Amino acid sequence: MKNILKFSLFALTLTLFIACSDDDGPTAQITINSETTGDLGGDFTGNGGTASETFTWQNARTTADYNADITATASGVLLMNIKDADGTEVLNRTLGNTPEPDSFSGVTSAGTAGEWTVTITVTNFSGDGSFSVSAGN
């Protein structure tokens, strides 16, 4: 009886450990690399995971230049969303789900100068990439 109880306790502990361990699950990470010039940039990586980060950025101008580049499988998706100081969306771009194109760049719609928000979202993303945002002309 004592051995059966020990075995049952061992089996329960092993089951709980396996059920709680999620080290091999899909992950994604977004990091920011702020420059002293006031530009905003960052990197993202993933192995099938999903992540979203929102950054604030001071833009003294009414537009912003943006760029994003990915190396990802056909299933990965990147979304870049930028809002001006009034909270008005000035950019909503998606990249992924196909091998090409693997980058985008341009100038946002005009908005209000001040504190802008930049949201980067990767969904089911496997690979890596980078993004940058700077004050427009």
Side-chain angles (χ1 to χ4, degrees):
M1 180 74 171
K2 203 174 196 182
N3 286 338
I4 293 173
L5 183 58
K6 284 182 183 179
F7 177 77
S8 295
L9 184 57
F10 173 76
L12 177 61
T13 303
L14 182 60
T15 301
L16 288 174
F17 175 76
I18 292 171
C20 293
S21 179
D22 192 32
D23 293 340
D24 297 331
T27 62
Q29 181 177 355
I30 302 165
T31 57
I32 186 171
N33 306 319
S34 184
E35 299 177 11
T36 58
T37 61
D39 294 346
L40 177 72
D43 303 299
F44 43 90
T45 60
N47 68 354
T50 298
S52 184
E53 293 289 339
T54 299
F55 310 100
T56 57
W57 169 65
Q58 283 296 323
N59 186 2
R61 302 216 173 146
T62 59
T63 62
D65 297 326
Y66 62 89
N67 181 54
D69 183 41
I70 65 171
T71 302
T73 63
S75 64
V77 177
L78 161 72
L79 169 67
M80 179 185 280
N81 183 277
I82 301 177
K83 294 183 180 179
D84 71 2
D86 290 334
T88 302
E89 185 176 84
V90 294
L91 178 75
N92 189 330
R93 292 285 307 262
T94 301
L95 185 61
N97 281 337
T98 59
E100 295 292 330
D102 61 357
S103 64
F104 60 67
S105 61
V107 179
T108 65
S109 299
T112 303
E115 188 173 85
W116 288 31
T117 58
V118 179
T119 301
I120 303 296
T121 304
V122 291
T123 306
N124 300 325
F125 190 81
S126 293
D128 57 56
S130 62
F131 67 93
S132 64
V133 180
S134 59
N137 294 325

